Amino acid sequence: MGLGVKPGDDFYTYANGAWLKANPVPAKETRWGSFNELRDFNIKAVQSILNEAAANKNTKAGSVEKRVGDFYAAAMDSAAIDKLGYSPIKADLERIKTITDVNGILNEVAYLRTSGAGAPMFGFYVGQDRKNVENMVPQLSQGGTTLPDRDYYLKDDARSTKIQEAYKNYVTTLFTLTGVDNATAQKNAETIFNLEKKMAAAQMARVEMRDPYKTYNKFAVADFSKTTPNMDWKMLLSKMKVTGQDTVLVNSPKFFTELNGLLTSTPVTDWQTYLQWNVLKSAAPYLSADFANANFAYTQALTGQKVQTPRWQRMSQLTDGTIGELLGQLYVAKHFKPEAKARMDEMIANLIKAYEIRIKGLDWMSAETKEKALAKLHAFRPKVGYPNKWETYDGLTISRDAFFQNVRNAGEWGYTKMVNQLGKPVDRERWGMTPPTVNAYYNPVMNEIVFPAGILQFPFFDPNADDAVNYGGIGAVIGHEISHGFDDSGSQYDKDGTLRNWWTAEDLTKFKAKAAALAAQYDAYTVLDTIHVNGKLTLGENIGDLGGLSAAYEAFKMTKQGKSNKKIDGFTPDQRFFLAWAQVWRANTLPETAAQLILTDSHSPGQYRTIGAPVNMDAWYKAFNVKPGDKLYKKPEDRIRIW
């Protein structure tokens, strides 16, 4: 803690000051905080599982241990990988050189996607139809760019131009590594940047993309093709293994009409260069060291990271990201106890109860809307720890001596599995995160809250800690995920997960006014002196924090400790609750990363997550005796109460 400051002036430093001073960002990281400490602990736990699996060559063929061990062993064989240079992608680069027309370009786009070699030009996935959630539909989205946000192409301030230069340098380097001369490689970089800049200009901004109605555009395949005469979607979808579908959902129709124009206004040779680039950038992290190092140099310019993440860590993360439910079985056997699950189930039940009390007590919502909100709350489906039914990865070939091919095979396998969901019932047992993940999520179309085993550890959760610490940590995380069902976007889905209004017009107007006030509160926060938090981009997460912490406090007050005033370490139960919350969000962040996250991350920076919700809660003022004149003080009538 930083006890030299008053909690009412700077609660973030008060709760975390000494830790922040003692914990600079390690060279291999871009930020360092509670999340990172736990991720670091978890990745080391994963590493020891992987080392053990890779070292044991006598495991049974086809067993979980064997497949996990072989994937990791191949990934760690850097000598074999370096020897191959760029030969694993040579055939792709040569094939692209033979393209002669627009049709050839589109065929290649489909091929790269289905073979796990890249996803150029636009986004594509199969998911639930938001207005008919029992149906899986093909969905097309804007894409085609490499930099983390469209603004990096469209802005010309010093920070953006520096990143543009680093990006062009990255493109140039990768081409020269495949034997292209420097002048041609530089020309390629300009070609790619300019083409991607046109695609960026056609994209919707992130704030607009948060509107589930604006991004819901349903077309008959034939009608969509009429809007893009150069792209016959029936043919293109069938090349992408999608057959027998007469409907597509499109998140940004304007992007596709612009792309349609670019297809013919851009020379075929430029498209060839662009497609080669897509192969190169997708493959670079899995090729020889010179490619991986070039990839890191680009990452460095974006994030400020000092040294490359060690290979074992990158490959452990890759194993988790590729065959996470094989690795996850080994992980939970060692690191997730049944008593942790039981305690979580109990806390989730308490949070739902607290939320119910709060919804019933809202002074701004009518009885009619409250009834619908409660119906949605009680339809929530929690998932804790790991899936009931593990993914088996049947048909995925993993070899101990073919790393790049393993990655490609996994990409192709994953793509085929995704399109095979079409025409089948929605799989409600599926997870969107792997068990070792330090995170949690809410899925609006499933109306589910999901907590992987990875986050169910200190500082978020400790079965042996007192209630104040658990409710201020994981309790607020549970409340946060529940609140996503009632944030500015999630609240537009009903209890079945269908995008359908369940609000009276008057209640919706009141809700929007409260949300706008919260957005304005966060708009006023700055990082790096001048860059403002984007209150609209972060609104869903900020509503999640305010609703989640308020509900967690309500649930905490139902416990024996919550009802007492007994101090531990000199702090009251209420103080410990808010300190636990503050200490979850402590982090030091590199300036380059902080600047990037303001553009790309829907979460507010940690120091503002720490204070953004408490300053709206009367209990926080009481706990720390915060008075008028203190820097964080808000008048009672200005405190924002939503859920």
Side-chain angles (χ1 to χ4, degrees), residues 441-578:
Y441 68 93
Y442 169 72
N443 180 345
V445 285
M446 293 274 207
N447 199 26
E448 65 183 8
I449 47 175
V450 185
F451 306 95
I455 199 173
L456 304 179
Q457 298 172 66
F458 185 79
F460 297 93
F461 177 69
D462 178 355
N464 305 313
D466 58 299
D467 279 332
V469 171
N470 277 329
Y471 277 92
I474 200 71
V477 173
I478 296 166
H480 173 101
E481 299 310 336
I482 293 172
S483 296
H484 273 314
F486 301 100
D487 70 18
D488 60 313
S489 175
S491 62
Q492 300 184 64
Y493 297 80
D494 70 7
K495 69 179 176 58
D496 304 319
T498 304
L499 185 59
R500 178 165 48 207
N501 179 48
W502 46 272
W503 296 71
T504 67
E506 195 185 341
D507 289 343
L508 193 54
T509 303
K510 287 180 185 168
F511 174 68
K512 285 182 172 170
K514 285 174 174 291
L518 194 65
Q521 175 188 319
Y522 283 83
D523 275 339
Y525 297 143
T526 55
V527 297
L528 309 179
D529 306 326
T530 55
I531 303 174
H532 280 261
V533 173
N534 184 338
K536 285 199 177 81
L537 177 64
T538 57
L539 183 57
E541 298 298 335
N542 300 333
I543 292 173
D545 282 350
L546 178 55
L549 191 63
S550 301
Y553 181 74
E554 182 102 32
F556 171 55
K557 296 312 274 182
M558 297 175 193
T559 67
K560 192 176 160 196
Q561 186 190 16
K563 291 179 179 134
S564 84
N565 283 314
K566 192 180 167 209
K567 291 184 177 180
I568 300 178
D569 297 336
F571 294 100
T572 67
D574 278 22
Q575 288 173 331
R576 287 172 70 77
F577 170 85
F578 285 110

Side-chain angles (χ1 to χ4, degrees), residues 96-97 99-102 104-106 108-109 112 120-121 144 167 171 175 184-196 198-199 259 261-279:
I96 290 166
K97 284 182 190 166
I99 296 172
T100 55
D101 56 14
V102 168
I105 292 160
L106 292 172
E108 184 63 27
V109 165
L112 291 178
M121 214 179 266
Y167 175 44
V171 179
F175 273 102
T184 308
Q186 282 181 336
K187 191 167 152 278
N188 287 353
E190 289 300 329
T191 298
I192 287 156
F193 182 81
N194 293 332
L195 181 51
E196 289 189 354
K198 288 174 185 162
M199 291 194 238
L259 180 61
L262 283 175
L263 268 171
T264 46
S265 66
T266 305
V268 170
T269 49
D270 287 3
W271 281 116
Q272 285 177 318
T273 304
Y274 169 78
L275 290 171
Q276 287 187 319
W277 166 239
N278 273 270
V279 168

